[in-house]
Amino acid sequence: MTDSRFEARFDPGQADERWQRAWDDARCFEADSNSTKPKSYVLEMFPYPSGRIHIGHVRNYTMGDVLARYKKMRGHEVLHPMGWDAFGMPAENAAMEKGVHPGGWTRDNIANMKAQLKRIGFALDWNREFATCDPEYYGHEQALFIDLFNAGLVYRKESTVNWDPVDNTVLANEQVIDGKGWRSGAEVEKRKLNQWFLKITDFAEELLDGLGDLENWPDKVRLMQENWIGKSQGLEFSFDLSNGEKLPVYTTRPDTIFGASFVAVAADHPVAQGTAAGNGDAQAFIELCKRGGTTAAELETAEKLGYDTGITAKHPFTGADLPVYIANFVLMDYGTGAIMAVPGHDQRDFEFATKYGLPIPRVVAASADDAAKPFAGEAEAGEGVLVNSGFLDGMDVDTAKREVISRIEAQGSGAGKTVWRLRDWGVSRQRYWGTPIPFIHCDKCGVVPAPKDSLPITLPEDVDFKTPGNPLVRHPTWKHTKCPECGGKAERETDTLDTFVDSSWYFLRFASQPGDKPFDRDEIAKWLPVEQYIGGIEHAILHLLYARFWTRALAHIGLIDVKEPFASLFTQGMVTHETYSRKTGGREVFYSPAEVDRGGESAVLKDGGEPVEIGRVIKMSKSKKNVVDPDEIIARYGADAVRWFMLSDSPPERDLPWSEAGIEGCWRFVQRLWRLFGQYEEGATGEDKALARKSHQTVDAVASDIEALSFNKAVARLYELTGAIEKAQPSASRNDAIRSVLLMASPMMPHLAEEAWQSLGSGGLISEAAWPEVDEALLVDDEVTIAVQHKGKLRDTLTVAKGLPKDELEALALASDKVQRSIDGAEVRKVIVVPDRLVNIVT
RNA sequence: GCGGGCGUGGCGGAAUUGGUAGACGCGCUGGUUUUAGGUACCAGUAUCUUACGAUGUGGGGGUUCGAGUCCCUUCGCCCGCACCA
């Protein structure tokens, strides 16, 4: 019964590219800023141009694409742009390893990856494409940076970097492995440099409060940001030290002050520095702290170490002399860089006190009776009542906090204080491949911003990467310039900006890209905020917080009117794959899926047939070789099967395990749909009420699924409806249902859909068509299936008219043979009836 | 270490406010069509049990007429930790 206009099989090899060209020719996905339609800005996190599109990108962009195409079908003017996060370290690493220029390497990668994206058929507005390494883009970024400087949001201060003494280079955290430089293997040192900072802490309160309005962000992301910002109410007070100095400390647990058994300062705290002067042992200890990791994770997992300064601090209430230690777990940039340590009620202090034999007094207990209860090998950080604490005894934790703060304030030795965990954003990078920081150092005038008409300050092309270190510093001419203030000899800043700055406003530039300024305020007002932002959960904190901050900062200085850039956020999972490996000579060798023949339970090498071990399903990575190349898959199965796979089965926020069998199944479904569309019978008449109902219910449900980004559910519903249509006899209802499936599948399998749309003789492109209408009357079923339980266990089901009253349901349930057999004459004590759902009989 | 998340058949997963656990797909088993087939179609597929039935959502405990869903506890895996993007 196959329609003659349909070939036996859908051939993506000839169809995909043809339709991609048709979309380009019709310019269907170009966003019109002057449109009067409701707007939808759909954005996926733009990729770093590493060279190849990764299957994870394909998943991310397919989700956004389905939403963008769907919104267009619902009559929205859609902005769905794409660009390149093109600055960063990998380009410099490639330059060092392969002798290529970072710019050329990046441009080649972009060209490759763009071609790859085109082959997947994404509905992108390529007119708005840019790369952050375009001088035009980073020139505007330099202008914005100067604006923020003029608004007092940019400053310089000393801060610590990882220094590789052999390569004479600053290392990123990921380049430090076990405290050693990844290339040189040299012991990494901490070194202080003058660096540029953005005052994100000025916005801490705003960024925290703003989270409350981001209702369409995942709760987990909001919670992570809240914890990261880390507002805490505590007490800052000063200890009188035995050397006559005062030592300010900050604590969030002033209630436990009677449990303080020592005081600790960070290695770079002035008290530590003072102790080290003329004290070799203290100096050695501070040196020890300077080695090793800089990251919070390393600091906190490292063994707690300390050095007794010999100084003591006088307890403000008991007058006791507490020893002052230099400790490796105290951070200089949180609070005052010094703490009162309460080992009984803080785990880090507990470990330290145990190691150094310091007292561990209990000052909080479950009840006053437990005042002498020993600790069970760890600190107790929870709630309770105060004990062994003088005037605080018997109070709860909150009351005691307030009491201590007011007494300290009365003494005049301190005050209640709000402290934030959030630190200012250090944006200096001692690297070439980034946005040059637009400032000029003049001996006479100091650090002055470059004149705006000198922007962009572009990177020099003639650089070499044979010598380690920043090529901008050793370039013969680049940094030499004139001071814009006095006209005298001066030098350019050679630091470049963190690439997180580039990604903090690219979504604005997509919406509006005038040549003479970063963006047009009115156009931003039209397009922003982004309706739906989609990206990886790994960006939950840094990128998303920086972008929120940068947007607020621009609003603060009056350049834009939007404060939150992303109205709705979705974080998708990774694409994973099992690993294949063989142990040869004690070494594990990994093989790529392409090298392996995968049977039901086992796998063997294609070349040679030796068995390989099938490993866990993990994130795709080059080192484990468990990667699949989107290009190869598309060449084999076409773009639509790959897109369908990306949407099927796994909920989008969870990991998606790639499997060969899975893509085969998708390929078969593409063909099954193709046959279904061929079964559209011109002129078929007659009504099929059940099918019509199923079809309209599916259209309604798939629409809500797509809007909720629950693509796996939408896919399951399309399978179901397809099955129902295949079983039905030809009718007008059936034709209508086939047409609905075609339209519903079109955002997911656009090439197949265009081909079928054309074959059915529908005019124009399906990409320009409207979403099918839903007949509300068909959404409600008139019969429901009721579960009948006895003592909470299912005994029978009943099919009854919808809305049947409770007493009738109860009577029907009790009349059931199966139920009576289960009750077996016992006394019915209670019957619970949930209309249209269930009856539960309790005996 | 701290913060956040996840855990349901052989596999991916589905399951309004607590209300028929396993929809849908993959795989597997049997059959039909085909010269053949890696295609298509039909039937079956949580576990135990001959059956009646019992058990079952990482483990243990609790609340409830009723728990995958709520509470406590425990184990495993994943993400982030400020210079990877």
Side-chain angles (χ1 to χ4, degrees), chain A residues 14-168:
Chain A
Q14 62 85 23
D16 284 6
E17 205 191 333
R18 186 154 41 80
W19 291 112
Q20 287 157 17
R21 255 200 319 273
W23 298 326
D24 280 348
D25 292 346
R27 306 172 67 161
C28 358
F29 306 124
E30 291 178 18
D32 177 6
S33 296
N34 298 317
S35 168
T36 54
K37 296 181 198 171
K39 66 94 183 177
S40 269
Y41 186 174
V42 178
L43 183 68
E44 301 96 54
M45 292 177 185
F46 66 165
Y48 178 79
S50 56
R52 304 290 295 167
I53 287 290
H54 182 272
I55 197 83
H57 293 126
V58 178
R59 188 181 191 201
N60 187 190
Y61 302 148
T62 301
M63 291 181 196
D65 200 55
V66 170
L67 188 69
R69 286 174 178 270
Y70 167 81
K71 287 286 181 189
K72 185 174 169 66
M73 294 180 86
R74 299 311 295 255
H76 285 231
E77 186 65 31
V78 174
L79 173 56
H80 187 215
M82 183 54 69
W84 310 95
D85 190 12
F87 275 137
M89 286 200 309
E92 291 196 24
N93 293 336
M96 278 177 248
E97 283 153 22
K98 298 172 194 158
V100 292
H101 190 275
W105 181 84
T106 303
R107 293 281 161 205
D108 287 349
N109 288 346
I110 288 174
N112 286 334
M113 291 170 77
K114 183 175 178 181
Q116 285 187 292
L117 290 181
K118 287 244 173 191
R119 284 195 283 276
I120 312 170
F122 292 134
L124 292 163
D125 182 352
W126 285 106
N127 271 343
R128 295 170 187 255
E129 176 196 9
F130 61 81
T132 55
C133 64
D134 294 345
E136 190 183 357
Y137 182 79
Y138 70 73
H140 292 309
E141 186 166 301
Q142 289 166 339
L144 292 174
F145 191 75
I146 291 168
D147 289 340
L148 293 178
F149 172 83
N150 291 333
L153 292 172
V154 174
Y155 68 100
R156 277 157 59 82
K157 73 169 179 190
E158 259 200 348
S159 83
T160 313
V161 294
N162 301 310
W163 180 257
D164 185 321
V166 170
D167 276 354
N168 289 315

Side-chain angles (χ1 to χ4, degrees), chain A residues 661-794:
Chain A
I663 184 71
E664 290 277 356
C666 292
W667 164 248
R668 285 200 296 270
F669 186 67
V670 167
Q671 299 303 340
R672 185 174 157 202
L673 267 191
W674 180 248
R675 288 193 299 277
L676 183 79
F677 299 144
Q679 289 171 16
Y680 187 95
E681 288 205 9
E682 208 67 59
T685 55
E687 194 188 24
D688 182 338
K689 195 72 184 280
L691 185 64
R693 191 168 267 151
K694 176 105 192 153
S695 160
H696 282 255
Q697 285 171 351
T698 303
V699 171
D700 191 55
V702 168
S704 355
D705 287 338
I706 292 178
E707 280 173 37
L709 281 72
S710 299
F711 303 109
N712 57 321
K713 295 188 211 168
V715 161
R717 290 186 213 283
L718 284 172
Y719 275 121
E720 245 179 297
L721 180 57
T722 300
I725 296 172
E726 284 167 344
K727 288 191 179 71
Q729 294 302 308
S731 67
S733 307
R734 189 169 183 272
N735 277 352
D736 180 61
I738 290 175
R739 210 178 165 79
S740 292
V741 170
L742 175 53
L743 286 162
M744 282 188 280
S746 71
M748 306 176 185
M749 302 195 196
H751 309 88
L752 171 77
E754 291 290 2
E755 194 81 5
W757 188 252
Q758 186 188 49
S759 298
L760 289 176
S762 317
L765 293 164
I766 199 170
S767 297
E768 309 268 17
W771 188 254
E773 296 285 337
V774 171
D775 182 349
E776 300 281 337
L778 290 172
L779 294 184
V780 202
D781 284 316
D782 41 18
E783 279 191 334
V784 287
T785 306
I786 302 285
V788 184
Q789 299 177 332
H790 173 221
K791 292 196 284 192
K793 297 228 160 98
L794 184 73

Side-chain angles (χ1 to χ4, degrees), chain A residues 356-367:
Chain A
Y356 292 97
L358 294 157
I360 306 179
R362 171 183 286 282
V363 289
V364 179
S367 75

Side-chain angles (χ1 to χ4, degrees), chain A residues 586-607:
Chain A
R587 208 164 64 91
E588 196 171 21
V589 180
F590 287 92
Y591 297 94
S592 74
E595 296 172 290
V596 168
D597 262 331
R598 178 77 167 82
E601 305 270 294
S602 59
V604 295
L605 278 184
K606 278 179 184 164
D607 185 20

Side-chain angles (χ1 to χ4, degrees), chain A residues 351-662:
Chain A
E351 286 169 29
F352 191 93
T354 306
K355 183 175 173 76
Y356 292 97
L358 294 157
I360 306 179
R362 171 183 286 282
V363 289
V364 179
S367 75
D369 301 337
D370 292 333
K373 195 181 170 196
F375 291 98
E378 59 182 15
E380 292 177 17
E383 295 289 309
V385 298
L386 274 289
V387 293
N388 307 320
S389 293
F391 55 84
L392 299 175
D393 281 352
M395 291 182 189
D396 62 46
V397 165
D398 281 339
T399 311
K401 280 181 181 172
R402 284 194 296 273
E403 181 62 25
V404 170
I405 290 170
S406 68
R407 293 224 184 191
I408 289 282
E409 284 176 350
Q411 273 189 6
S413 57
K417 194 178 175 188
T418 301
V419 163
W420 304 82
R421 209 187 75 100
L422 183 68
R423 308 198 297 257
D424 275 338
W425 176 12
V427 293
S428 276
R429 297 292 180 271
Q430 293 71 38
R431 282 186 241 290
Y432 166 78
W433 193 234
T435 301
I437 294 177
F439 277 80
I440 291 162
H441 298 263
C442 169
D443 285 343
K444 267 193 275 174
C445 311
V447 184
V448 294
K452 282 235 182 141
D453 59 16
S454 72
L455 304 182
I457 296 163
T458 55
L459 292 166
E461 287 290 322
D462 52 332
V463 284
D464 80 86
F465 291 87
K466 292 189 190 86
T467 328
N470 184 353
L472 294 180
V473 176
R474 58 171 187 266
H475 190 278
T477 56
W478 184 80
K479 68 181 175 187
H480 301 293
T481 186
K482 278 187 188 142
C483 172
E485 305 265 313
C486 68
K489 269 194 179 175
E491 285 193 2
R492 291 193 189 285
E493 172 63 59
T494 54
D495 282 357
T496 50
L497 287 172
D498 181 5
T499 56
F500 272 128
V501 175
D502 309 334
S503 54
S504 288
W505 71 286
Y506 75 106
F507 42 89
L508 300 176
R509 185 72 186 168
F510 275 146
S512 165
Q513 29 196 253
D516 58 340
K517 52 186 176 180
F519 38 72
D520 176 82
R521 182 181 186 141
D522 293 334
E523 271 205 308
I524 294 298
K526 255 183 226 165
W527 285 113
L528 271 283
V530 173
E531 263 70 34
Q532 184 64 61
Y533 195 35
I534 308 175
I537 185 66
E538 66 273 20
H539 295 292
I541 298 176
L542 292 182
H543 161 59
L544 288 165
L545 191 63
Y546 291 148
R548 291 182 63 217
F549 156 66
W550 189 272
T551 304
R552 275 176 189 272
L554 295 184
H556 176 76
I557 62 175
L559 293 184
I560 54 175
D561 304 295
V562 62
K563 284 189 171 170
E564 287 291 344
F566 314 121
S568 188
L569 172 73
F570 189 86
T571 55
Q572 105 273 6
M574 300 175 298
V575 181
T576 56
H577 196 288
E578 55 192 23
T579 56
Y580 307 110
S581 63
R582 278 175 59 80
K583 290 233 169 63
T584 21
R587 208 164 64 91
E588 196 171 21
V589 180
F590 287 92
Y591 297 94
S592 74
E595 296 172 290
V596 168
D597 262 331
R598 178 77 167 82
E601 305 270 294
S602 59
V604 295
L605 278 184
K606 278 179 184 164
D607 185 20
E610 293 95 342
V612 294
E613 193 175 322
I614 301 171
R616 279 195 317 125
V617 175
I618 54 169
K619 179 180 183 171
M620 287 191 183
S621 76
K622 275 184 193 159
S623 62
K624 298 283 190 293
K625 288 190 128 182
N626 60 336
V627 289
V628 290
D629 180 28
D631 270 0
E632 273 176 37
I633 312 278
I634 288 165
R636 279 237 296 285
Y637 301 101
D640 289 340
V642 176
R643 293 168 62 109
W644 188 254
F645 184 93
M646 293 291 116
L647 302 167
S648 305
D649 292 353
S650 285
E653 69 277 12
R654 271 202 243 165
D655 290 350
L656 170 69
W658 176 268
S659 81
E660 203 62 29

Side-chain angles (χ1 to χ4, degrees), chain A residues 64-285:
Chain A
D65 200 55
V66 170
L67 188 69
R69 286 174 178 270
Y70 167 81
K71 287 286 181 189
K72 185 174 169 66
M73 294 180 86
R74 299 311 295 255
H76 285 231
E77 186 65 31
V78 174
L79 173 56
H80 187 215
M82 183 54 69
W84 310 95
D85 190 12
F87 275 137
M89 286 200 309
E92 291 196 24
N93 293 336
M96 278 177 248
E97 283 153 22
K98 298 172 194 158
V100 292
H101 190 275
W105 181 84
T106 303
R107 293 281 161 205
D108 287 349
N109 288 346
I110 288 174
N112 286 334
M113 291 170 77
K114 183 175 178 181
Q116 285 187 292
L117 290 181
K118 287 244 173 191
R119 284 195 283 276
I120 312 170
F122 292 134
L124 292 163
D125 182 352
W126 285 106
N127 271 343
R128 295 170 187 255
E129 176 196 9
F130 61 81
T132 55
C133 64
D134 294 345
E136 190 183 357
Y137 182 79
Y138 70 73
H140 292 309
E141 186 166 301
Q142 289 166 339
L144 292 174
F145 191 75
I146 291 168
D147 289 340
L148 293 178
F149 172 83
N150 291 333
L153 292 172
V154 174
Y155 68 100
R156 277 157 59 82
K157 73 169 179 190
E158 259 200 348
S159 83
T160 313
V161 294
N162 301 310
W163 180 257
D164 185 321
V166 170
D167 276 354
N168 289 315
T169 301
V170 176
L171 299 177
N173 283 337
E174 71 159 12
Q175 297 174 319
V176 181
I177 295 153
D178 295 331
K180 296 188 170 64
W182 67 338
R183 262 187 242 279
S184 69
E187 192 99 354
V188 169
E189 295 168 6
K190 289 172 194 170
R191 192 177 263 212
K192 293 211 162 181
L193 289 181
N194 242 322
Q195 307 207 70
W196 293 89
F197 282 81
L198 286 171
K199 272 195 192 166
I200 190 171
T201 52
D202 274 14
F203 290 72
E205 192 94 58
E206 259 195 62
L207 288 166
L208 181 65
D209 292 347
L211 291 172
D213 300 325
L214 296 174
E215 287 158 22
N216 293 315
W217 279 40
D219 287 341
K220 61 178 171 184
V221 175
R222 291 198 283 177
L223 194 55
M224 279 191 264
Q225 291 213 351
E226 185 182 324
N227 291 335
W228 185 262
I229 294 167
K231 182 177 188 174
S232 72
Q233 316 273 3
L235 168 68
E236 184 175 318
F237 71 98
S238 288
F239 281 108
D240 290 325
L241 298 185
S242 54
N243 65 3
E245 290 173 20
K246 284 191 180 295
L247 175 66
V249 299
Y250 175 75
T251 177
T252 57
R253 289 296 301 274
D255 54 305
T256 62
I257 193 163
F258 284 88
S261 62
F262 64 102
V263 168
V265 301
D268 35 4
H269 191 280
V271 167
Q273 301 295 333
T275 304
N279 176 338
D281 288 349
Q283 249 167 41
F285 180 76

